Amino acid sequence: MEGEGGRRRARRVRSDGGAGALLVMCLVFCVMVRPCVGSDIELDDALAPTQPGCSNSFVLVKIRNWIRGQEEPEVVGVSARFGKLVSDHEEEKHSVPLAKLDPEDACTDSIKPLQGYAALVRRGNCSFTTKARVAQKAGAVALLIVNHKQELYKMICSDNDTFQDINISSVMLPNSAGNSLDRALHANYEVRVLHYSPSRTVVDIGEVFLWLMAVGTILSASFWSAWTAKEEHYRRMKQERPELSGDVPAEAGDSEKMDTDDVIDINVLSAVLFVLLASAFLLLLYFYMSVWFMRVLIILFCIGGFEGLQTCLVSLLCRWFPKAGATFINVPLVGSVSLLALCLSPICLAFSVVWGVFRLNSYAWIGQDILGIALILTVLQIVRLPNIKVSTVLLSCAFLYDVFWVFISPTFFHESVMIVVARGDKSDGEAIPMLLKVPRLYDPWGGYSIIGFGDILLPGLLVSFCLRYDWTARKSLYRGYFLWSTVGYGLGLFLTYVALNAMNGSGQPALLYIVPCTLGTVLLLGWWRGELRSLWFKGDSLDQFSFDSSGRSPTD
């Protein structure tokens, strides 16, 4: 009778968790389409031509502006390839008045002198260098060019000429900011501007927090996955060998746990299809990115975050409330749901909805990180790698995926597909939510340090496998693979930030550095120890936690 009740309970657990497993797996395809680790500013000089007098690096420029003596919100522009370098510090006493040339397009000599002024002109009708020369000839000390779009455009020298005669700085402004200054000048208001380009800090504390969050998430998920596998084995041993029930930990059968039917083992074919589908979805976002498409992703993230947060809280609290975790109620359209999950669902749903409503607020990153970490933990609990062969295929494909869509795609699409999608150029300010983000606290440019879910999930699958393998093969910490794969992940993520700072904030595909440091470390260690064959074919499918004659597990 007791055994039948246990089987009924197991079936209920599977019914309760199966829908969540399916939902989270659907979201995995979304998290593969992720931004590169880096800032939310991308300025790549590699493809811009250089000529004498036209070899400046593109830098972001802050423009402080005062209208009728009142300071207005700061504007951000981008400097030009040519002309004077923009100062990296500000002194309010060096602000200059702003005026327009006559003619206003600055394509022919101005009849209006602008000695000591900054000139405001609109893009079009002639080259950028022509406008700079006209403004300089009129006596202007700086040139602000208003773009016809909201995006910033890199001002390069297209003519086959030298440009060493241009000695004023030129800055491109987004359309909305330029229109605001233009309206003030049209109303005959006094407008003053001060432009400068402050240097970024080498290391921001936000990057340290983000590194700790990523490594901590993988550690938590790995121990959760391995402990669940261990407890599941204890329950099987208790059913198959009742005489050992006194030696099996009591909590192995008392709390609500995920059954093996809810665990999804990836095989080689699904690993390849996984990356191919992610590429197809990335292209779909690239060609059809819009506000409504981004909102669909936000809704999916809220659903996944709700499911992940509920799963994490139920698994945590069922140890303190075992009766609520073991009591199930039939809910229409849902099926059998534990009482504990039913009580937590309104709280998790409210949290997800509140984040979705206030996601654009400055503090919304906290809720986004909580939902994101919960989702990652749940996915790493449900999805598992059975051996190193599948790990190698999955991570190698993901490595090529990152490299192709960041570095090689400009050859075919004239721009980096991954970076364009990550910036959300056509999403009206909305950003892909499948990432962890932390504010850059000491960066004069503000913004966020970010890392995509895929840069945690994919290496996390390998690290979780290593811990399960170590426990299965009864390996010590130093002679196992978990410690070294974790160190490899931390090192790979650290190298990503080093490359990020070395390349002036240009987004970096984290897997380019993480995969060699994690997968490469495990393969090298396995080959050196003569255990690569076992890792490659058997993985963690050995006779787990086998009991000795006394009934004790070797890990106890």
Side-chain angles (χ1 to χ4, degrees):
M1 190 70 176
E2 181 182 353
E4 181 63 26
R7 286 192 291 273
R8 284 200 302 268
R9 183 173 62 183
R11 285 197 294 270
R12 288 173 182 168
V13 172
R14 288 195 291 270
S15 174
D16 189 23
L22 180 61
L23 173 62
V24 176
M25 272 305 296
C26 292
L27 288 172
V28 172
F29 295 104
C30 296
V31 302
M32 269 297 290
V33 183
R34 63 196 185 282
C36 314
V37 170
S39 62
D40 32 23
I41 298 163
E42 307 294 344
L43 295 174
D44 185 9
D45 295 352
L47 301 179
T50 61
Q51 300 172 41
C54 187
S55 57
N56 296 344
S57 296
F58 296 111
V59 296
L60 290 176
V61 180
K62 288 188 174 187
I63 300 100
R64 295 179 62 187
N65 60 99
W66 295 262
I67 299 177
R68 292 195 297 180
Q70 296 294 321
E71 186 168 6
E72 299 295 322
E74 203 169 55
V75 176
V76 176
V78 63
S79 67
R81 265 294 197 200
F82 51 86
K84 180 182 177 182
L85 294 175
V86 179
S87 174
D88 61 357
H89 61 278
E90 62 170 328
E91 293 185 30
E92 193 167 324
K93 63 182 181 181
H94 290 163
S95 65
V96 296
L98 183 68
K100 294 195 287 186
L101 292 166
D102 186 10
E104 294 184 1
D105 62 2
C107 290
T108 56
D109 289 349
S110 174
I111 60 175
K112 178 181 178 181
L114 292 182
Q115 194 69 37
Y117 280 71
L120 181 71
V121 302
R122 290 192 174 271
R123 176 183 175 185
N125 299 333
C126 59
S127 67
F128 296 123
T129 51
T130 298
K131 295 178 184 293
R133 286 182 170 123
V134 169
Q136 180 175 293
K137 187 175 181 180
V141 295
L143 175 65
L144 305 182
I145 301 178
V146 182
N147 195 15
H148 53 71
K149 296 181 179 180
Q150 188 61 20
E151 293 81 14
L152 296 175
Y153 186 84
K154 298 174 184 177
M155 295 184 288
I156 59 176
C157 310
S158 56
D159 302 324
N160 187 17
D161 195 359
T162 60
F163 304 92
Q164 296 168 321
D165 59 312
I166 302 176
N167 51 35
I168 64 171
S169 56
S170 300
V171 179
M172 171 73 73
L173 300 181
N175 184 261
S176 59
N179 288 341
S180 176
L181 296 175
D182 193 18
R183 285 193 298 268
L185 292 176
H186 186 73
N188 292 321
Y189 295 154
E190 180 192 14
V191 180
R192 299 185 68 86
V193 294
L194 170 65
H195 65 284
Y196 64 105
S197 180
S199 301
R200 309 189 89 109
T201 55
V202 176
V203 178
D204 188 83
I205 192 67
E207 293 175 345
V208 177
F209 286 150
L210 193 63
W211 186 91
L212 292 173
M213 284 171 54
V215 174
T217 300
I218 284 183
L219 287 174
S220 302
S222 299
F223 279 102
W224 186 14
S225 176
W227 191 258
T228 301
K230 183 177 180 180
E231 289 189 330
E232 178 58 31
H233 176 74
Y234 282 147
R235 286 195 297 273
R236 286 203 309 269
M237 291 300 299
K238 188 176 180 179
Q239 292 173 359
E240 295 171 4
R241 300 176 62 181
E243 68 274 13
L244 297 179
S245 59
D247 296 306
V248 175
E251 66 271 15
D254 293 339
S255 57
E256 178 189 11
K257 296 296 172 187
M258 187 173 297
D259 205 323
T260 52
D261 286 2
D262 290 325
V263 174
I264 301 171
D265 281 331
I266 301 177
N267 56 35
V268 171
L269 178 60
S270 60
V272 175
L273 290 177
F274 183 77
V275 177
L276 292 177
L277 288 175
S279 296
F281 192 67
L282 179 66
L283 284 175
L284 187 66
L285 278 175
Y286 176 71
F287 287 113
Y288 299 103
M289 173 75 75
S290 61
V291 176
W292 70 265
F293 204 145
M294 191 63 69
R295 286 175 181 168
V296 169
L297 290 181
I298 291 170
I299 292 172
L300 286 175
F301 173 74
C302 288
I303 295 172
F306 158 73
E307 178 71 26
L309 189 59
Q310 176 186 266
T311 301
C312 292
L313 289 178
V314 167
S315 297
L316 179 65
L317 296 179
C318 68
R319 298 182 180 275
W320 286 275
F321 305 97
K323 291 184 178 180
T327 303
F328 288 80
I329 300 173
N330 286 319
V331 179
L333 302 178
V334 177
S336 183
V337 181
S338 71
L339 179 61
L340 184 58
L342 201 60
C343 293
L344 291 172
S345 291
I347 300 174
C348 299
L349 181 61
F351 190 92
S352 299
V353 171
V354 168
W355 176 84
V357 172
F358 297 100
R359 65 187 181 277
L360 298 180
N361 289 16
S362 60
Y363 53 80
W365 65 273
I366 301 174
Q368 182 172 333
D369 287 350
I370 293 174
L371 292 174
I373 290 174
L375 177 56
I376 292 171
L377 290 173
T378 302
V379 172
L380 289 176
Q381 172 71 359
I382 293 172
V383 184
R384 294 181 184 175
L385 295 173
N387 50 52
I388 284 296
K389 178 173 71 173
V390 178
S391 305
T392 301
V393 173
L394 177 63
L395 290 176
S396 297
C397 289
F399 176 88
L400 296 175
Y401 169 93
D402 257 14
V403 171
F404 179 84
W405 290 115
V406 175
F407 296 126
I408 302 178
S409 61
T411 305
F412 305 96
F413 300 93
H414 306 293
E415 56 187 350
S416 175
V417 173
M418 182 79 81
I419 290 177
V420 169
V421 171
R423 285 201 308 255
D425 289 350
K426 303 175 185 177
S427 60
D428 194 27
E430 293 279 12
I432 291 177
M434 285 78 174
L435 51 86
L436 300 184
K437 56 194 293 188
V438 176
R440 293 195 293 269
L441 302 177
Y442 299 105
D443 192 326
W445 291 100
Y448 296 88
S449 295
I450 59 177
I451 181 171
F453 285 1
D455 298 326
I456 303 175
L457 273 172
L458 297 176
L461 290 171
L462 175 62
V463 176
S464 297
F465 162 80
C466 289
L467 182 57
R468 292 195 307 273
Y469 179 86
D470 287 353
W471 283 18
T472 299
R474 298 173 242 177
K475 291 204 172 273
S476 66
L477 182 64
Y478 292 103
R479 293 192 59 81
Y481 296 89
F482 168 69
L483 173 64
W484 306 115
S485 60
T486 303
V487 171
Y489 178 76
L491 176 62
L493 194 55
F494 171 76
L495 292 176
T496 304
Y497 288 118
V498 171
L500 173 69
N501 288 305
M503 298 180 184
N504 297 319
S506 178
Q508 294 296 304
L511 294 183
L512 176 64
Y513 308 93
I514 293 174
V515 170
C517 290
T518 52
L519 181 62
T521 298
V522 174
L523 291 176
L524 185 61
L525 275 177
W527 171 80
W528 180 262
R529 296 169 176 174
E531 299 171 344
L532 188 57
R533 183 177 181 82
S534 175
L535 285 165
W536 190 266
F537 292 107
K538 294 181 180 180
D540 60 355
S541 63
L542 302 172
D543 186 16
Q544 299 186 47
F545 314 113
S546 57
F547 286 77
D548 59 24
S549 59
S550 66
R552 285 287 178 183
S553 166
T555 58
D556 291 340

